[in-house]
Amino acid sequence: MKQVILNSYPQGEPQVSDFAVVEVAMPVVAEGEVLLETLWLSLDPLIRFALDPVTITGRAHVEPGEVIYGGAVARVVESRNSDFTVGDVVEGRTGWTEYAAVDPARVPLRKIDATRAPISTAVGVMGMPGQTAHACMIGIGRVKAGETVVISAAGGMVGSTAAQIGKILGARVVGIAGGADKCAALLELGLDACVNYKADDFAQQLAAACPEGIDVYVDNVGGAVTLTVLPLLKYGARMPVCGYIAYYGVGMEGPGPDHLPGFMRTIMSKGLEVRGFHGQMVGGQQALEDIAGWIRSGQLQHPEAVVDGIENAPQAFVGIFGNNPYIGKLLVRVAD
């Protein structure tokens, strides 16, 4: 079988050469374990945290030679565990491998009901990204009808889902994305406006899209985009922070200049409420029920970008940090 392993620790943004595709023997299933055949791999930007030489953020850590960490949807093909039977479809962080022998006591597995939604959504809108979006808008953002919500990286799974939830709640939603094509796709999802952060007049366009200021800012990127948003925040604005991709691969002290004094001043002067959180299933079953209901009613779409073959996972993952064309959830289809 094939696996993707870490070849070397990335220096800054990951490169394809940081990964290697290898062939290894099929795993042997021990008592209490299940053998899983991977169907879908989830390519999440947060995987980058696990690839630093020293763990700064998160609990996962991958060393050179080890299988890349990440979520997957898989089918049970052999079971020596009474809680799972052959044919069960599960979701868990089993890594970039075609097959995995897993002890559910150590690697939690969630059984998937394939009648509720396509199984690929278990690592997308019906999984951690959907839960994150739900928390951003409802649990932390507390979005109300008539408010203005701005979402950075709105073309991603979290961003595009949060944007649609905002519209369901009656808010005015403005997305920030890279490129005219992405903005056009987001407008088709129902956003009120979308601003291209690559445009020379990005700041002016954003201000024009938010004439009464911003009540909630869902931050997925940090960096220059967030610095552009901060002056437009209203007093008492809420700022759920679920990503900062501009700083992934950067240590505790990034390259200058130091913008922290200005950010602290903004927190004080605007009464800004900033909250980071773990996106993993934070909304519980209620969030999944809400999302499933919105999908059934046609209020929530879940676009997916699919790459075929586990050997293409490194290239697709690296693209997340560059000029990627993807809208919605980025997946690797490993098996039918």
Side-chain angles (χ1 to χ4, degrees):
M1 68 172 185
K2 294 178 183 176
Q3 293 180 334
V4 181
I5 63 171
L6 183 64
N7 193 39
S8 59
Y9 290 120
Q11 303 298 313
E13 293 186 357
Q15 306 296 319
V16 173
S17 58
D18 296 324
F19 305 86
V21 180
V22 297
E23 290 193 1
V24 298
M26 289 284 292
V28 176
V29 183
E31 188 64 35
E33 293 184 338
V34 293
L35 179 62
L36 302 177
E37 178 187 19
T38 302
L39 305 176
W40 296 96
L41 284 182
S42 177
L43 300 189
D44 301 302
L46 60 80
I47 293 171
R48 177 62 184 83
F49 296 148
L51 309 183
D52 284 318
V54 178
T55 302
I56 299 175
T57 302
R59 292 171 291 178
H61 183 251
V62 180
E63 296 185 357
E66 293 183 339
V67 175
I68 301 298
Y69 163 88
V73 176
R75 178 193 298 114
V76 177
V77 293
E78 182 182 345
S79 178
R80 298 186 66 183
N81 185 300
S82 60
D83 293 331
F84 296 86
T85 59
V86 172
D88 283 347
V89 177
V90 298
E91 175 268 330
R93 298 191 173 277
T94 54
W96 293 12
T97 181
E98 290 184 314
Y99 291 85
V102 174
D103 180 355
R106 293 191 298 172
V107 180
L109 300 175
R110 176 171 60 111
K111 291 186 180 181
I112 303 304
D113 182 356
T115 66
R116 299 190 64 190
I119 61 172
S120 60
T121 63
V123 287
V125 71
M126 290 293 289
M128 180 272 289
Q131 289 262 340
T132 300
H134 190 280
C136 283
M137 305 307 283
I138 295 176
I140 298 172
R142 307 187 302 280
V143 173
K144 305 178 187 67
E147 290 189 321
T148 295
V149 178
V150 170
I151 302 172
S152 60
M157 183 77 258
V158 172
S160 60
T161 303
Q164 293 177 84
I165 294 174
K167 291 303 300 176
I168 292 169
L169 298 174
R172 171 179 170 78
V173 179
V174 177
I176 299 174
D181 290 344
K182 279 191 175 182
C183 280
L186 288 168
L187 292 175
E188 289 183 3
L189 288 179
L191 278 68
D192 296 284
C194 185
V195 183
N196 178 9
Y197 71 84
K198 297 180 179 180
D200 293 337
D201 59 345
F202 165 54
Q204 292 79 8
Q205 287 189 37
L206 184 61
C210 308
E212 298 182 4
I214 299 169
D215 298 284
V216 179
Y217 172 47
V218 178
D219 192 6
N220 287 294
V221 299
V225 169
T226 294
L227 291 174
T228 304
V229 172
L230 291 179
L232 302 176
L233 296 176
K234 296 166 68 172
Y235 187 85
R238 287 87 72 196
M239 183 175 166
V241 179
C242 57
Y244 48 97
I245 197 169
Y247 302 129
Y248 290 4
V250 174
M252 294 300 292
E253 288 86 27
D258 180 8
H259 295 287
L260 185 59
F263 183 51
M264 297 299 292
R265 188 177 298 114
T266 300
I267 293 174
M268 290 293 293
S269 63
K270 291 182 178 285
L272 182 60
E273 181 181 328
V274 183
R275 182 174 169 188
F277 64 102
H278 256 359
Q280 297 180 358
M281 311 308 284
V282 291
Q285 188 61 32
Q286 184 58 55
L288 296 179
E289 293 294 338
D290 289 346
I291 292 169
W294 292 327
I295 292 174
R296 287 195 301 269
S297 66
Q299 294 174 281
L300 182 61
Q301 300 179 52
H302 49 93
E304 295 177 339
V306 176
V307 175
D308 281 301
I310 194 171
E311 65 276 3
N312 294 315
Q315 182 68 59
F317 179 71
V318 167
I320 296 174
F321 300 85
N323 295 319
N324 78 79
Y326 311 117
I327 293 291
K329 181 63 186 177
L330 177 58
L331 296 161
V332 175
R333 179 165 39 211
V334 181
D336 291 331

